[in-house]
Amino acid sequence: METTPETGSALSAGNGSAGRSAAVASGAGIAFATGSGGASVALNGLTRRFGTVKALDGLTMNMAPGELVALLGPSGCGKTTALRLVAGFDFPDAGSVLVNGTDISSIPAAKRDMGMVFQSYSLFPNMTALDNVGFGLRMRKTPAAERRRKSAELLDMVGLGAQAGQYPHQLSGGQQQRVALARALAIEPRVLLLDEPLSALDAKVRLQLREQIRTLQQRLGTTTLFVTHDQEEALSMADRVGVMRAGQLEQIDAPDELYARPATPFVAEFVGVMNRIPGELRDKDSVRVLDMMVPVKGSSAAISGSRVDVLVRPEGLIVDVTEHGNGIVITRTFLGSVTRLSVLLSGDVTIQVDKPSTIAAAIPPGMSVSVSLPSEPVLIAPRAA
């Protein structure tokens, strides 16, 4: 087991298996030979308490071999606790972690055959990039020549072949995190765990590295669990995104499904931008909002009273210029192909509306507009205080 110098956390250096994805040298660079792919992972009813706080409350989730799943949620929702239970750095009070159908809940981290990339780079300052990448292989007693060859291939894979002989203090933050990624992949793990690996980097480097991580993950077919608080990272990188709240999984779906069809008001407001527009529930199936009746999505049985908020994305609203409309444009923000209009409705409610920039150019601040909704089902929530 490696104890990282900066965090003191254990990095698994468990046993690999033949037939798994491997990187091999080729005349044109690095080619990837894919074997049986990653492992399946199942979290069954995971519960973890810390004193009176229930960090995880019956978390259940399945991951297919080779899938990248992102856990997204606010601070304290339990996403990092879930990652630690999978890694073996902590153990559940109830429930189980299965990899390829085998319960590994009580197995120490060093024997779980998982690679880990931390938020802090956790590189050994007295080792070169090449030696840092090869550390897990050295712990497995991989012959020196093979270890050097494979470490060099992995550094080439992450675009750092020329920096093999440099020490961590000679590398930028993005380069250090790529070395950490190469080190995690060197042991050919059954599962790769990413604990907010991009949060310490600047925006441009973060964008480049997330694309590189996704490309490598897809080519190697390594099952990957990625914890982040960044919505853009989760939605752009993951096959599926799980949104967590208070130790439970609110919804797990493909990014486009999660955005377009959120299962709960919490998911709707946590992922992307969401307007709350006051409405009145007329019956269990319809709500009056913006002087029109629209159908309600799902059941309204859990909502008491008729005063509700209708949840609508900025791109889901219709805006027409009219002399006596129900709103006034107060600001206009250019975002490239789309411009976001802030519109003040009657009742002192401000909403955001996205329009193509070519159309929004003719809608300056101060203009009267009419805001309406298409006749599609809408998600509703109890009226905000």
Side-chain angles (χ1 to χ4, degrees):
M1 182 191 305
E2 171 193 342
T3 299
T4 60
E6 298 176 17
T7 65
S9 298
L11 177 64
S12 171
N15 297 323
S17 59
R20 213 168 304 133
S21 302
V24 295
S26 72
I30 298 297
F32 297 87
T34 55
S36 59
S40 65
V41 177
L43 312 183
N44 297 326
L46 288 181
T47 298
R48 184 70 175 102
R49 296 178 181 86
F50 298 99
T52 60
V53 177
K54 188 178 283 189
L56 285 180
D57 187 10
L59 175 65
T60 295
M61 182 180 76
N62 295 314
M63 297 174 61
E67 186 177 30
L68 192 157
V69 171
L71 289 182
L72 179 68
S75 297
C77 70
K79 57 187 185 294
T80 298
T81 300
L83 190 79
R84 289 176 58 81
L85 294 184
V86 175
F89 300 152
D90 196 7
F91 300 95
D93 296 312
S96 59
V97 178
L98 277 65
V99 175
N100 281 341
T102 300
D103 189 346
I104 63 167
S105 305
S106 60
I107 296 176
K111 297 182 179 180
R112 291 200 180 188
D113 192 12
M114 294 185 182
M116 183 92 180
V117 180
F118 299 94
Q119 179 177 342
S120 57
Y121 315 128
S122 301
L123 301 179
F124 290 99
N126 61 329
M127 293 184 185
T128 64
L130 188 74
D131 290 337
N132 264 289
V133 172
F135 183 82
L137 298 173
R138 192 177 80 185
M139 293 298 97
R140 295 179 175 197
K141 302 187 180 348
T142 302
E146 182 183 349
R147 185 171 72 240
R148 286 193 297 271
R149 176 189 61 78
K150 188 166 188 178
S151 297
E153 289 173 357
L154 284 161
L155 284 175
D156 283 337
M157 194 190 309
V158 297
L160 292 177
Q163 286 75 33
Q166 294 184 0
Y167 290 87
H169 73 272
Q170 297 172 310
L171 302 172
S172 69
Q175 289 173 329
Q176 289 185 59
Q177 197 60 298
R178 281 188 277 169
V179 173
L181 175 64
R183 179 178 61 182
L185 292 171
I187 62 171
E188 298 182 33
R190 291 188 296 175
V191 181
L192 178 64
L193 304 174
L194 306 176
D195 185 12
E196 303 203 38
L198 310 180
S199 61
L201 306 174
D202 63 55
K204 184 176 181 180
V205 175
R206 198 159 57 236
L207 176 62
Q208 293 171 343
L209 194 51
R210 82 184 187 203
E211 291 174 350
Q212 190 168 41
I213 289 173
R214 182 55 168 153
T215 299
L216 287 175
Q217 187 272 334
Q218 288 178 319
R219 295 175 76 175
L220 294 174
T222 306
T223 306
T224 302
L225 182 60
F226 178 33
V227 164
T228 181
H229 64 274
D230 189 303
Q231 297 177 27
E232 189 175 335
E233 283 179 9
L235 296 175
S236 64
M237 293 177 64
D239 295 306
R240 289 187 300 152
V241 176
V243 178
M244 293 190 64
R245 180 189 188 192
Q248 296 182 328
L249 197 62
E250 289 268 314
Q251 183 178 357
I252 182 167
D253 255 315
D256 56 344
E257 185 73 14
L258 194 77
Y259 183 86
R261 283 171 282 278
T264 67
F266 175 81
V267 174
E269 294 192 274
F270 190 79
V271 177
V273 177
M274 185 65 75
N275 291 300
R276 275 182 171 261
I277 306 175
E280 185 178 350
L281 196 61
R282 290 299 176 88
D283 56 52
K284 65 177 183 179
D285 298 318
S286 61
V287 61
R288 184 170 183 81
V289 58
L290 297 174
D291 295 323
M292 59 185 297
M293 297 292 294
V294 291
V296 172
K297 181 187 297 184
S299 173
S300 61
I303 297 178
S304 59
S306 61
R307 289 162 55 85
V308 297
D309 282 339
V310 175
L311 307 181
V312 189
R313 300 280 186 202
E315 65 272 21
L317 289 162
I318 301 168
V319 170
D320 296 305
V321 176
T322 182
E323 187 174 352
H324 300 291
N326 57 3
I328 298 291
V329 177
I330 53 177
T331 63
R332 186 174 63 181
T333 305
F334 179 74
L335 301 174
S337 61
V338 170
T339 291
R340 180 159 293 168
L341 305 174
S342 289
V343 179
L344 180 63
L345 300 176
S346 57
D348 201 28
V349 175
T350 301
I351 60 170
Q352 312 294 319
V353 184
D354 288 349
K355 297 287 286 183
S357 292
T358 52
I359 296 174
I363 313 177
M367 180 165 282
S368 174
V369 294
S370 175
V371 181
S372 60
L373 284 164
S375 57
E376 298 173 356
V378 294
L379 197 64
I380 61 173
R383 178 76 60 85

